Amino acid sequence: KEVLSIVGDGGFNMNALELIIAKKLNIPLKVIVFNNKKYSMIKFEQEMEGFKEYETNLDNPDYSTLVTSMGIKGISVNSSEELGQALDEFLSYTGLAVLDINVDGDENPFFNITSKVKI
């Protein structure tokens, strides 16, 4: 079965080269990467504790270029206007693919979760 993985760029950086194994084994995997060029959960945890952001910025490669160099389909999204068409292309592609979605690094990653879930 096809598998869809949705990850942040920090986690993707730690595991991106595992895609070589997925390609070798013909695993039908699709990966969406929310790329905000930082460890945003760490950033907001620091700020919630009253500290300044410290060492959370990432110098990410262009993920589309990276995975294309591995023989994997790579698509980048740099604006909300591109998202619909890119998602259609990504989801309709047969085989291993990565969708790199550039998002705002200052958006609170906890906001959508905590505002909709009663704890």
Side-chain angles (χ1 to χ4, degrees), residues 62-81:
D62 178 321
Y63 295 131
S64 180
T65 301
L66 175 68
V67 300
T68 299
S69 74
M70 297 180 208
I72 297 167
K73 175 76 170 175
I75 303 168
S76 290
V77 174
N78 295 302
S79 70
S80 57
E81 293 79 24

Side-chain angles (χ1 to χ4, degrees), residues 2 4-6 30-34 73-94 97-101:
E2 189 170 80
L4 176 64
S5 174
I6 302 174
K30 292 204 174 10
V31 181
I32 295 175
V33 181
F34 289 121
K73 175 76 170 175
I75 303 168
S76 290
V77 174
N78 295 302
S79 70
S80 57
E81 293 79 24
E82 299 172 354
L83 185 58
Q85 182 179 348
L87 271 172
D88 288 343
E89 180 183 352
F90 174 73
L91 294 172
S92 65
Y93 181 76
T94 303
V98 173
L99 179 62
D100 177 15
I101 303 175

Side-chain angles (χ1 to χ4, degrees), residues 17-29 72 96:
L17 293 178
E18 298 297 332
L19 291 173
I20 294 170
I21 302 298
K23 180 174 177 12
K24 180 179 180 178
L25 299 176
N26 293 318
I27 296 173
L29 174 65
I72 297 167
L96 183 56

Side-chain angles (χ1 to χ4, degrees), residues 40-51 109-110:
S40 60
M41 291 187 73
I42 302 301
K43 171 194 185 312
F44 283 97
E45 286 173 350
Q46 290 171 350
E47 291 173 347
M48 287 170 40
E49 293 295 323
F51 299 105
F110 299 114

